[in-house]
């Protein structure tokens, strides 16, 4: 068994690394990078998600784009900008407010808009998903440019001369003084009809961002802390600032708002396909060229460094300790492979906010649009004593009938629960994209396929294990564990 498992692991690793030897973007092993992706947040069933974003750069500030995307189709449900001064940490909590998620922070770092204490936005969620579409998802954290105190030379890769004055003004406006950043509105927002374009106040973005999220359920006394996946770029990156503006036209310098190879690969903004109206706040995203030639090259690099043929994790579902296991498989580039239909039409949707997924391309070409699911290979399961499942008919996706031979990943953030029966998620109480895999063994080791008919999928994530200790106090207590995925 050990030789067989090793062989599978080598094959998976080779599959994941194929084509990335020359990639400029890589996953930072130290957890610090230009871009961070938090694979999961949740406010389902009593969960609250605490988020922390830190700037480890002790000299330069960072202008950071933060975007929450929903678990089902990765629709933008909340985005804003945070200005981190050197060695600054920004924190917030995501809670349930009525039927939708809400952000709350008392942090003193500057943001645009000036207050981000508000409900998430459902404008781009289809009617069938509005009630719960904000409650689970993942988070993009992108350094748009460094904030420095003046500079000699070029301010960024798009302007011919530096502007020491505006660079120093932004640094002073966002640098904490006695624990509070001044957040000068004249510098950050301006006095005109349109908000300031801060591009010339920034220099090329560098590494330094690190982050984590803690999904905590106070009532059930459990918590799961998940580090962000950090992406670092080894070549020069141009300033990627776009205004946090509800505008489709204007003077934004990088570049004029348009769907093209210099801005985004998100074809929902293509007037010939999704036809959703694009705004300045939609940029940058993970597909925006970040030291690469165009969006195609950017996606190719991300696909290469995040693709995995399979992942390995331990699991525990022993009833004697009420153990439950959820495996989160987040796919932060999946959105860029969708094909779209504009539904409803412009008459019924005058603001052009909605589009329906028709299918997908690339590694997701086999996607079933109706369920937003992709068929992957069968899992390989072992118990803790090296026994393995020989008859695959004993492994099913609950509540499918015994003998099912189809395994799928649903949505952008696929949550695979193990041995949890008709309830699709145990440890995390996930709902939107959760499904249960039923195995013959209560505890053990599983290799989950992340390969579709069109190749390995770009996946990040973790395993959440919850166990119950009945011997603590009068009613016992839960313990949450987080296991990193292996491959």
């Amino acid at each position: 068994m050990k030789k067989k498992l090793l062989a599978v692991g080598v094959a998976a690793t080779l599959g994941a690394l194929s084509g990335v030897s020359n990639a400029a973007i890589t996953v930072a092993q130290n957890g610090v990078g230009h871009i961070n992706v938090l694979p999961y947040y949740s406010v389902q069933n009593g969960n609250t998600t605490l988020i922390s974003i830190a700037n480890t750069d002790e000299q330069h500030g960072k202008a950071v784009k933060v975007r929450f995307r929903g678990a089902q189709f990765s629709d933008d449900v909340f985005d804003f900008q945070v200005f981190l001064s050197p060695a600054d940490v920004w924190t917030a909590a995501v809670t349930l407010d009525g039927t939708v998620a809400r952000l709350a922070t008392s942090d003193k770092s500057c943001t645009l808009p000036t207050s981000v204490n508000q409900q998430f936005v459902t404008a781009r969620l289809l009617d069938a998903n509005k009630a719960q579409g904000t409650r689970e998802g993942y988070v993009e954290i992108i350094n748009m440019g460094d904030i420095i105190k003046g500079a000699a030379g070029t301010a960024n890769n798009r302007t011919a001369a530096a502007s020491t004055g505006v660079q120093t003004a932004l640094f002073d406006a966002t640098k904490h003084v006695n624990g509070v950043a001044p957040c000068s509105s004249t510098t950050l927002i301006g006095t005109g009809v349109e908000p300031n374009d801060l591009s010339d106040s920034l220099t090329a973005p560098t590494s330094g961002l690190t982050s984590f999220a803690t999904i905590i359920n106070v009532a059930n006394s459990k918590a799961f802390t998940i580090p962000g996946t950090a992406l670092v770029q080894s070549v020069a990156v141009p300033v990627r600032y776009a205004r946090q503006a509800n505008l489709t036209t204007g003077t934004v310098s990088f570049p004029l708002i348009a769907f093209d190879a210099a801005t985004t690969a998100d074809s929902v903004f293509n007037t010939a396909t999704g036809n959703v109206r694009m705004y300045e706040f939609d940029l940058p995203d993970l597909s925006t060229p970040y030291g690469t030639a165009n969006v195609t090259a950017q996606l190719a690099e991300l696909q290469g460094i995040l693709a995995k043929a399979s992942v390995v994790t331990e699991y525990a579902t022993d009833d004697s300790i009420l153990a439950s296991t959820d495996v989160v498989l987040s796919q932060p580039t999946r959105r860029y492979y969708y094909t779209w239909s504009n539904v409803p039409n412009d008459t019924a949707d005058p603001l052009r906010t909605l589009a329906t997924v028709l299918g997908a391309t690339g590694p997701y070409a086999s996607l079933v649009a109706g369920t937003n699911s992709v068929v992957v290979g069968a899992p390989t399961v072992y118990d803790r004593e090296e026994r393995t499942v020989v008859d695959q008919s004993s492994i099913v996706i609950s509540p499918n009938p015994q003998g099912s031979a189809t395994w799928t990943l649903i949505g952008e953030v696929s949550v695979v629960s193990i041995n949890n029966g008709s309830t699709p998620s145990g440890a995390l109480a996930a709902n939107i994209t959760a499904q249960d895999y039923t195995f013959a063994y209560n505890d053990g080791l599983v290799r989950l396929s992340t390969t579709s008919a069109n190749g390995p999928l770009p996946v990040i994530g973790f395993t959440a294990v919850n166990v119950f200790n009945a011997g603590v106090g009068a009613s016992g207590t839960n313990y949450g564990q987080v296991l990193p995925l292996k491959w």
Side-chain angles (χ1 to χ4, degrees):
M1 184 279 290
K2 291 181 180 178
K3 291 183 178 179
K4 177 182 177 183
L5 183 59
L6 178 61
V8 173
V10 170
T13 301
L14 291 176
L17 294 177
S18 60
V20 304
S21 58
N22 296 319
I25 300 177
T26 56
V27 176
Q29 298 304 307
N30 65 349
V32 179
H34 295 72
I35 295 172
N36 284 193
V37 182
L38 291 169
Y40 189 57
Y41 77 87
S42 171
V43 296
Q44 297 281 26
N45 296 293
N47 288 335
T48 291
T49 301
L50 310 178
I51 290 179
S52 176
I53 304 171
N55 175 20
T56 65
D57 188 334
E58 298 173 48
Q59 301 299 319
H60 300 155
K62 312 288 181 188
V64 179
K65 181 72 173 186
V66 180
R67 181 181 289 110
F68 290 79
R69 291 193 180 274
Q72 189 169 19
F73 297 107
S74 66
D75 296 295
D76 183 352
V77 293
F78 199 66
D79 75 64
F80 53 92
Q81 296 176 2
V82 176
F83 296 85
L84 298 174
S85 57
D88 190 12
V89 178
W90 181 85
T91 60
V94 185
T95 61
L96 186 64
D97 184 5
T99 60
V100 301
R102 180 184 184 91
L103 190 84
T105 180
S106 58
D107 198 280
K108 304 304 182 184
S109 298
C110 306
T111 62
L112 286 178
T114 54
S115 175
V116 294
N117 288 288
Q118 53 189 280
Q119 285 187 333
F120 283 20
V121 181
T122 62
R124 283 180 172 164
L125 296 173
L126 295 170
D127 288 344
N129 195 37
K130 285 189 188 299
Q132 63 173 353
T134 65
R135 298 179 200 165
E136 294 174 72
Y138 64 96
V139 189
E140 301 170 350
I141 301 163
I142 304 171
N143 182 11
M144 300 179 290
D146 276 20
I147 305 170
I148 64 173
K149 195 174 182 67
T154 302
N156 54 58
N157 290 2
R158 295 171 296 97
T159 59
S163 179
T164 300
V166 296
Q167 290 171 351
T168 298
L170 183 60
F171 187 91
D172 290 343
T174 57
K175 180 73 170 67
H176 285 64
V177 178
N178 295 324
V180 179
C183 301
S184 165
S185 61
T186 302
T187 301
L188 287 172
I189 302 173
T191 58
V193 176
E194 297 181 355
N196 284 344
D197 177 4
L198 300 177
S199 300
D200 289 340
S201 301
L202 303 171
T203 59
T206 61
S207 181
L209 294 179
T210 189
S211 59
F212 69 87
T214 299
I215 300 166
I216 185 169
N217 193 306
V218 175
N220 291 327
S221 64
K222 59 182 177 180
F224 306 93
T225 297
I226 310 110
T229 295
L231 308 177
V232 65
Q233 174 61 272
S234 63
V235 301
V237 180
V239 169
R240 282 307 185 203
Y241 186 78
R243 294 177 298 185
Q244 191 66 26
N246 196 28
L247 299 169
T248 56
T249 59
T251 58
V252 66
S253 318
F254 126 70
L256 293 175
I257 293 300
F259 172 80
D260 59 30
T263 56
T264 179
D266 193 343
S267 61
V268 77
F269 300 122
N270 187 341
T271 56
T273 54
N275 201 29
V276 167
R277 179 172 283 125
M278 187 174 173
Y279 293 86
E280 293 189 19
F281 60 70
D282 288 309
L283 296 174
D285 61 27
L286 291 183
S287 73
T288 302
Y290 207 81
T292 56
N294 51 45
V295 296
T296 302
Q298 175 81 1
L299 270 186
E301 288 208 348
L302 291 177
Q303 163 73 9
I305 63 172
L306 298 180
K308 300 169 183 64
S310 62
V311 297
V312 163
T313 185
E314 291 184 55
Y315 70 93
T317 63
D318 190 335
D319 285 342
S320 67
I321 54 172
L322 300 181
S324 56
T325 297
D326 290 336
V327 185
V328 174
L329 301 171
S330 189
Q331 301 150 76
T333 63
R334 180 166 171 160
R335 179 175 181 85
Y336 305 106
Y337 295 101
Y338 283 148
T339 57
W340 301 89
S341 172
N342 178 233
V343 179
N345 59 32
D346 289 352
T347 302
D349 181 23
L351 295 179
R352 299 204 337 246
T353 59
L354 303 173
T356 300
V357 169
L358 286 181
T361 61
Y364 294 100
S366 59
L367 178 133
V368 179
T371 56
N372 194 23
S373 61
V374 176
V375 174
V376 293
T380 304
V381 186
Y382 304 89
D383 74 358
R384 289 179 175 173
E385 309 304 332
E386 302 188 38
R387 291 171 295 196
T388 187
V389 173
V390 176
D391 182 3
Q392 289 293 326
S393 68
S394 65
I395 307 174
V396 299
I397 294 180
S398 177
N400 285 353
Q402 195 82 358
S404 170
T406 302
W407 298 268
T408 61
L409 298 182
I410 302 173
E412 308 287 323
V413 182
S414 301
V415 179
V416 174
S417 191
I418 297 177
N419 293 343
N420 215 55
S422 59
T423 302
S425 169
L428 294 168
N431 180 269
I432 297 176
T433 57
Q435 60 183 318
D436 182 73
Y437 281 22
T438 299
F439 301 155
Y441 306 127
N442 287 332
D443 310 291
L445 186 72
V446 60
R447 181 175 291 278
L448 296 173
S449 171
T450 52
T451 299
S452 73
N454 304 98
L457 301 175
V459 170
I460 62 175
F462 62 96
T463 296
V465 179
N466 186 74
V467 297
F468 180 77
N469 186 342
V472 176
S475 57
T477 189
N478 286 297
Y479 294 95
Q481 301 173 323
V482 172
L483 309 179
L485 299 177
K486 310 292 185 179
W487 57 91

